[in-house]
Each structure stands twice: as structure tokens, then as C-alpha cells.
Amino acid sequence: AQTVTQSQPEMSVQEAETVTLSCTYDTSESDYYLFWYKQPPSRQMILVIRQEAYKQQNATENRFSVNFQKAAKSFSLKISDSQLGDAAMYFCAYRSYYSGGGADGLTFGKGTHLIIQP
Amino acid sequence: EAGVVQSPRYKIIEKKQPVAFWCNPISGHNTLYWYRQNLGQGPELLIRYENEEAVDDSQLPKDRFSAERLKGVDSTLKIQPAELGDSAVYLCASSRTGGVSANYGYTFGSGTRLTVV
């Protein structure tokens, strides 16, 4: 079974600064997908960024980028120019490669609470 | 398009009472998931449906939990009887089945926060 570990229960950053959230995972699979989700107090999980394991290039989405190190099984999220609206819980998640059947469920880490200081 | 709709948003019940949660997925999404999120934890998968069929219910506590997805659209998750340890947020998510879009992240609802007293 796969496991996802987020070692930072809470992180704090000044507005407009850059912050990096850490995630490591354990798997014996070679093909898989990794995700970062944001969960504000409204509870809805919002997809921030996605990375396919077979792609060497790190994914980017505007101010959000990842550092994917497949050999180290590390998948960190960098948020540049932090904004007050970025404050939320952030979850790292893993999913096995879609093999033609149904899409498997996600395995989540315990989350990191991100605080943005004005 | 409308998102994943869940109701109720909050529910408080006494232990040993039954409770049900409802989920309406995004139109056209064949795959539906129920997750449970305990306080301070990430969500954990309870059950996955492909249309009407429950294809992964290995994490569903079958002695007290049940789920159904009639006609492959709406789904209901039930707990009977509820225990104190069932207090959590119950999240529903949906996704397309097949093709590249199946590899995208899922769309989640806002969840039901259950408190058992």
C-alpha cells in the first residue's frame, strides 16, 4: 500500500514571500500521479497542481510549482508571492496510474496548515 | 457547470441513531467516491462507485455503514447505528471514467460535518 507523509503540521509565511511545503511518499509502483489539494474552511478540496510520474518536467500553475524528485520520492509545493487567500490546509495526494479501468481513490497525507501573515 | 452537491452540510445526532448523507455528482461523471476525514487528518477512501457498481468498498465498515448509488447518479451513505468515533467530515467526489480526463484530480463537494454526541 502507498503512504504519503507531510512532516510540517503548520507553516507560516509573510505575505508576498515564498513558502515550500514538503511531501514524501512510499510506493513500489513506477507510474502514478501526485497532487496538491487546498482545503479552505469551506471544506471543499480544491485541486492546486498535478504531476505525472513519467514526466521529468516539474509542473507549474501560475504562482504554484512543484519540485518532483522521483528517486527520492519527494514532491514539494512552492508558493510564490504568497497571498492572504492562500491560507488553508494543503494536502499532498497519490494515485496509482490509470490502467483503463476505473480511476482509483486518492491516498492523502495528514496536511499542512498554511498561515499567511499580513 | 454545477459542482458536486452534498447535503446536509452539518448534522448532529445522538449515538446509536441512524444518519444518512446525500451526494449529487457532476453530470457525466461516472465515478463517485465517498471519503471520511477525521479531525486533523487527510481524507480516507470509504467506497468507490463505477456507475451503479461498488468496485472498491474494502475500507467501508460494513457492520454499520452502507451506501447505494441507484441509477448511477446520486448516492447515499448511511450509518446505523452511529458511534462517537464516527464524528468526522464525509466528503463526496466525482470524476469521469475513461480517457485522459480520468487522470485528472477529482472534483470534491463541501462535505457533511457529522457530530455524534
Side-chain angles (χ1 to χ4, degrees):
Chain A
Q2 297 81 25
T3 59
V4 177
T5 302
Q6 294 180 250
S7 59
Q8 304 155 318
E10 186 173 280
M11 291 285 284
S12 181
V13 64
Q14 291 289 125
E15 191 177 5
E17 296 295 310
T18 295
V19 63
T20 298
L21 308 184
S22 301
C23 173
T24 58
Y25 58 94
D26 187 30
T27 183
S28 59
E29 300 174 335
S30 58
D31 291 324
Y32 48 86
Y33 297 85
L34 296 166
F35 305 86
W36 277 99
Y37 277 88
K38 171 184 178 181
Q39 187 178 42
S42 66
R43 299 199 302 260
Q44 185 175 19
M45 301 287 278
I46 301 166
L47 178 64
V48 174
I49 199 165
R50 178 185 81 252
Q51 175 79 43
E52 292 89 340
Y54 62 85
K55 290 187 177 179
Q56 294 185 336
Q57 185 173 6
N58 290 325
T60 61
E61 289 286 345
N62 301 313
R63 298 182 296 108
F64 299 88
S65 62
V66 299
N67 183 2
F68 173 50
Q69 301 291 325
K70 190 173 184 179
K73 296 180 182 176
S74 172
F75 183 61
S76 61
L77 174 69
K78 185 172 79 171
I79 305 174
S80 304
D81 185 26
S82 298
Q83 301 176 0
L84 294 178
D86 294 334
M89 286 293 295
Y90 285 80
F91 291 93
C92 179
Y94 173 104
R95 187 173 74 72
S96 298
Y97 177 69
Y98 171 73
S99 59
D104 292 339
L106 296 165
T107 300
F108 286 89
K110 291 187 176 181
T112 296
H113 182 209
L114 179 63
I115 299 169
I116 310 295
Q117 305 279 5
Chain B
E1 68 181 358
V4 176
V5 179
Q6 290 187 247
S7 68
R9 187 155 175 77
Y10 300 92
K11 189 73 175 180
I12 301 174
I13 61 171
E14 294 184 344
K15 62 182 180 181
K16 300 184 181 180
Q17 294 301 305
V19 64
F21 315 121
W22 176 80
C23 173
N24 180 244
I26 291 176
S27 177
H29 281 194
N30 298 329
T31 308
L32 183 145
Y33 312 79
W34 282 102
Y35 287 84
R36 176 170 61 187
Q37 185 176 17
N38 293 315
L39 185 64
Q41 304 290 319
E44 295 178 327
L45 180 68
L46 290 175
I47 190 169
R48 170 167 65 96
Y49 279 94
E50 296 295 336
N51 298 305
E52 305 87 7
E53 183 181 0
V55 295
D56 182 1
D57 62 355
S58 58
Q59 300 304 312
L60 188 73
K62 298 181 181 63
D63 56 336
R64 297 183 300 106
F65 285 66
S66 64
E68 61 182 11
R69 190 183 184 198
L70 300 177
K71 300 182 181 179
V73 182
D74 295 2
S75 178
T76 303
L77 178 68
K78 299 178 182 178
I79 309 174
Q80 182 171 9
E83 297 179 352
L84 296 177
D86 296 330
S87 295
V89 173
Y90 291 83
L91 293 165
C92 179
S94 70
S95 71
R96 295 186 185 277
T97 301
V100 175
S101 60
N103 297 321
Y104 292 170
Y106 315 142
T107 303
F108 284 82
S110 294
T112 297
R113 181 180 296 280
L114 173 67
T115 302
V116 183
V117 298

